[in-house]
Amino acid sequence: MSLPKPVMRGLLAKRLRFHLPIAFTLAITAAIAFKFTVTEPRKKAYADFYKQYDAVKEFNAMREAGIFESVRPSGE
């Protein structure tokens, strides 16, 4: 009794026909999940932050704290 020879002709094409659609489906699913679980909440958080952010107020606070070398605090 001998073992049958393995079928090598067309093996790559056969395996790709099976695995390629699965790989594309998983990749698209992962991209969509990442978009809705990470990027959309992050964009919303940035939008909420910048609705109430006042750059001039922050600048004045940093100037009064003495952070900048080129701008003196108003008390000096």
Side-chain angles (χ1 to χ4, degrees):
M1 268 202 225
S2 65
L3 293 174
K5 290 179 112 181
V7 179
M8 300 301 282
R9 183 171 303 236
L11 184 63
L12 176 64
K14 180 182 174 187
R15 291 185 61 85
L16 282 178
R17 232 183 340 266
F18 177 76
H19 287 100
L20 212 54
I22 294 171
F24 276 118
T25 304
L26 288 175
I28 296 295
T29 304
I32 291 171
F34 186 81
K35 176 180 172 42
F36 287 110
T37 59
V38 176
T39 59
E40 292 298 324
R42 185 177 293 170
K43 285 196 295 191
K44 185 181 179 310
Y46 273 100
D48 292 342
F49 174 78
Y50 282 108
K51 280 180 189 173
Q52 293 128 0
Y53 182 72
D54 185 12
V56 174
K57 181 180 168 187
E58 289 292 320
F59 170 75
N60 289 332
M62 287 188 279
R63 182 180 68 188
E64 295 304 319
I67 292 176
F68 302 118
E69 293 179 7
S70 61
V71 181
R72 292 179 182 255
S74 60
E76 288 186 20

